[in-house]
């Protein structure tokens, strides 16, 4: 953040020490210990002690203010914003100071319009020094106003590599004229547009093409359109809902044509932690008689917890899937647990990876089939000039099945370039 906002944050600390000094004589031991911990820079311990004092019955503007400052210092900006908002409402004498610090919290949450409103209230109600700080923050906000978002944002990548099990079955079961392993080339494109209406509408377009030099019967094309209306409930909940359409081909013939709908709910859990749940329903048909057996419908329910910032991301998710297709051999009930990790390294490198465990049961077959799949994915990225990047990806999978035909291992590696726009 620019130097002027750094000066604003120093006022944040000075105000806390002034309040703590005025209240220490009346406070119980946890408050005094919390003030001492804060002065030593141990904000987590200070927060714990201040909250303990509050749980033991202490209640004052100084205590509430100190809790808010500690929440801000430890990066829990959402909770800090709530604490300062409540402080302004309950203790009018501290409203200007609370609104100023609430503005800092909102700014950290990237809620710029709300932050500007809080700074304006602090400027109108505060003393000369606080008004000057609030005015400085407003000037800086105006200078750093975000440019209008582009109408479309997108991503494109091209890669080449090798897959040692294109069909994802026991390679001994393949016909003699079909190669199990093959070099490959792939193209991926993605574009997004979001309206600025009262209830925003987002449109996502994506396409994928993969070609196998030695196994052309597995060549694939896919295209998908997602639409979602976006809205929120309070400061913590966000929602997305809408239909989507996708179409894919296999070996040049129509494979799956899907019309579906999905609902996504996300909730901030404070700081950099968030929870989400997604519900998906889809109707599937095949435009080609060759693949009529895949027609039917499916449902998926997914839960996820994510912790991250600009440099790292950790996500854990669980998904349940139920498929009801014409052919019971493609109608599994599945459970999938996945761990994903992304880390930005120094210079221009970043890495990401994931580990997944999936169980599948095909219970409608005459002889039920059970499978256990383990997948490992590792990737590395190096940013280049003009929004280009160099990408390398490796995928390993091992599928264990009680039916030998469907047991397999596979390894897939690709190297390519990508560009964002």
């Amino acid at each position: 953040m620019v130097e002027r906002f750094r000066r604003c944050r120093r006022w944040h600390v000075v105000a806390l020490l002034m309040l703590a000094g005025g209240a220490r004589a009346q406070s119980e031991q946890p408050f005094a210990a919390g003030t001492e911990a804060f002065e030593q820079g141990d904000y987590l311990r200070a927060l714990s002690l201040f909250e303990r004092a509050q749980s033991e019955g202490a209640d004052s503007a100084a205590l509430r203010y100190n809790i808010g400052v500690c929440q801000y210092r430890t990066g829990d900006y959402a909770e800090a914003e709530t604490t300062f908002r409540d402080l302004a409402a309950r203790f009018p004498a501290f409203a200007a100071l609370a609104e100023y610090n609430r503005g800092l919290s909102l700014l950290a949450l990237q809620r710029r319009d709300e932050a500007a409103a809080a700074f304006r209230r602090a400027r109108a109600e505060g003393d000369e020094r606080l008004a000057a700080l609030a005015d400085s923050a407003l000037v800086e906000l105006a200078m750093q106003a975000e440019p209008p978002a582009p109408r479309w944002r997108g991503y494109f990548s091209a890669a080449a590599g090798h897959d040692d099990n294109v069909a994802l079955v026991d390679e001994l079961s393949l016909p003699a004229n079909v190669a199990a392993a093959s070099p490959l080339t792939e193209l991926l494109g993605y574009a997004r547009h979001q309206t600025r209406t009262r209830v925003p509408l987002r449109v996502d377009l994506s396409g994928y093409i993969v070609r196998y030099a030695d196994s052309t019967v597995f060549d694939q094309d896919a295209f998908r359109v997602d639409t979602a209306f976006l809205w929120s409930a309070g400061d913590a909940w966000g929602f997305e809902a809408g239909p989507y359409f996708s179409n894919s081909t296999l070996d040049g013939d129509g494979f799956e044509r899907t019309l579906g709908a999905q609902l996504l709910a996300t909730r901030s859990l404070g700081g950099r932690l968030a929870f989400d749940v997604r519900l998906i329903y889809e109707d599937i048909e095949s435009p080609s008689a060759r693949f009529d057996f895949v027609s039917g419908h499916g449902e998926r329910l997914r839960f996820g917890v994510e912790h991250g910032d600009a440099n790292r991301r950790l996500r854990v998710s669980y998904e349940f899937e139920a498929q009801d297709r014409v052919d019971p051999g493609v109608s599994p009930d599945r459970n999938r647990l996945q761990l994903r990790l992304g880390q930005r390294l120094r210079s221009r490198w970043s890495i990401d990876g994931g580990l997944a465990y999936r169980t599948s049961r095909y219970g409608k077959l005459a002889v039920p089939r059970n499978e256990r799949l383990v997948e490992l994915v590792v990737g590395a990225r190096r940013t280049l000039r003009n929004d280009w990047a160099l990408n390398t990806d490796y995928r390993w999978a091992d599928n264990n099945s009680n039916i030998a035909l469907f047991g397999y291992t596979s390894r897939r590696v690709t190297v390519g370039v990508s560009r964002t726009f």
Side-chain angles (χ1 to χ4, degrees):
M1 193 173 289
V2 295
E3 179 61 29
R4 190 168 295 159
F5 279 142
R6 291 195 184 99
R7 292 198 295 269
C8 292
R9 286 198 296 268
R10 281 200 292 270
W11 163 253
H12 197 90
V13 178
V14 170
L16 177 135
L17 295 180
M18 291 169 59
L19 283 173
R24 185 177 299 179
Q26 302 175 21
S27 66
E28 298 181 359
Q29 183 61 31
F31 186 95
T35 301
E36 182 179 354
F38 183 90
E39 292 171 344
Q40 295 173 355
D42 191 348
Y43 305 120
L44 280 173
R45 174 170 167 76
L47 177 59
S48 175
L49 288 164
F50 288 141
E51 289 179 337
R52 177 183 164 191
Q54 189 176 51
S55 70
E56 293 178 357
D59 189 19
S60 67
L63 178 59
R64 288 174 176 265
Y65 185 84
N66 290 357
I67 289 174
V69 173
C70 288
Q71 289 167 337
Y72 181 93
R73 287 295 193 182
T74 56
D76 197 348
Y77 303 120
E79 289 297 324
E81 187 273 331
T82 299
T83 298
F84 290 128
R85 183 181 61 203
D86 293 345
L87 176 65
R90 184 166 181 181
F91 297 93
F94 292 88
L97 186 59
E99 287 291 350
Y100 175 77
N101 287 282
R102 180 172 175 249
L104 292 179
S105 302
L106 289 165
L107 193 61
L109 292 167
Q110 300 299 314
R111 292 158 57 183
R112 298 169 64 88
D113 291 343
E114 294 175 81
F119 288 138
R120 283 193 290 269
R121 286 190 291 271
R123 181 178 61 183
E125 300 177 11
D127 61 19
E128 181 178 345
R129 182 170 59 161
L130 186 57
L133 286 165
D135 189 62
S136 178
L138 287 166
V139 170
E140 196 64 48
L141 268 174
M143 292 174 59
Q144 294 188 346
E146 297 179 0
R151 292 182 59 85
W152 288 94
R153 295 182 177 179
Y155 173 86
F156 168 81
S157 72
H162 186 270
D163 192 328
D164 73 352
N165 192 337
V166 175
L168 298 181
V169 294
D170 187 333
E171 59 185 273
L172 296 178
S173 66
L174 293 174
N177 63 337
V178 177
S182 174
L184 67 92
T185 56
E186 61 181 8
L187 300 175
L188 172 66
Y190 171 80
R192 165 173 289 186
H193 174 64
Q194 183 171 316
T195 67
R196 291 175 173 264
T197 53
R198 186 169 181 271
V199 179
L201 172 65
R202 191 181 66 223
V203 179
D204 296 313
L205 307 176
S206 59
Y208 177 71
I209 299 173
V210 60
R211 295 291 182 264
Y212 296 100
D214 298 335
S215 299
T216 59
V217 294
F218 295 104
D219 290 350
Q220 301 171 45
D221 300 333
F223 174 75
R224 175 166 170 152
V225 181
D226 286 77
T227 60
F229 289 96
L230 317 177
W231 72 97
S232 59
D235 297 329
W237 282 100
F239 298 92
E240 303 178 11
Y244 66 89
F245 171 81
S246 67
N247 189 73
S248 63
T249 67
L250 182 62
D251 191 24
D253 288 334
F255 181 57
E256 287 186 338
R257 183 176 294 160
T258 302
L259 181 62
Q262 55 186 329
L263 170 66
L264 170 66
T266 61
R267 178 175 174 81
S268 170
L269 301 178
R272 302 176 180 86
L273 190 65
F275 166 81
D276 60 84
V277 56
R278 186 187 296 267
L279 178 63
I280 302 170
Y281 175 84
E282 51 193 16
D283 279 317
I284 306 106
E285 65 174 6
S286 176
S288 170
R290 178 184 175 188
F291 298 115
D292 271 347
F293 64 91
V294 303
S295 299
H297 66 270
E299 301 92 27
R300 281 177 282 164
L301 179 62
R302 182 185 307 156
F303 301 93
V305 177
E306 184 169 322
H307 183 275
D309 53 29
N311 294 315
R312 63 186 60 85
R313 181 175 70 95
L314 175 65
R315 177 175 174 81
V316 179
S317 63
Y318 165 79
E319 180 180 85
F320 171 75
E321 173 186 356
Q323 296 288 334
D324 187 7
R325 310 289 187 98
V326 170
D327 185 347
V330 292
S331 302
D333 290 335
R334 284 174 165 158
N335 294 272
R336 179 183 176 91
L337 182 64
Q338 185 175 38
L339 173 68
R340 295 286 301 189
L341 175 65
Q343 175 70 52
R344 185 184 301 275
L345 305 177
R346 294 182 178 180
S347 69
R348 298 182 176 185
W349 283 97
S350 63
I351 58 173
D352 61 81
L355 182 65
Y357 177 74
R358 187 188 74 187
T359 62
S360 303
R361 177 170 175 77
Y362 298 79
K364 296 180 182 180
L365 292 169
V367 178
R369 185 169 89 241
N370 298 300
E371 298 178 1
R372 295 190 303 274
L373 173 69
V374 179
E375 292 180 294
L376 174 67
V377 179
V378 180
R381 309 281 183 270
R382 177 175 173 80
T383 58
L384 307 173
R385 294 182 178 180
N386 300 320
D387 297 319
W388 285 92
L390 175 67
N391 312 308
T392 61
D393 292 280
Y394 173 79
R395 175 185 177 273
W396 171 85
D398 180 81
N399 193 59
N400 184 282
S401 175
N402 64 323
I403 307 298
L405 171 64
F406 298 97
Y408 65 85
T409 59
S410 73
R411 286 165 291 273
R412 187 178 191 271
V413 61
T414 58
V415 178
V417 293
S418 62
R419 188 177 189 274
T420 57
F421 59 88

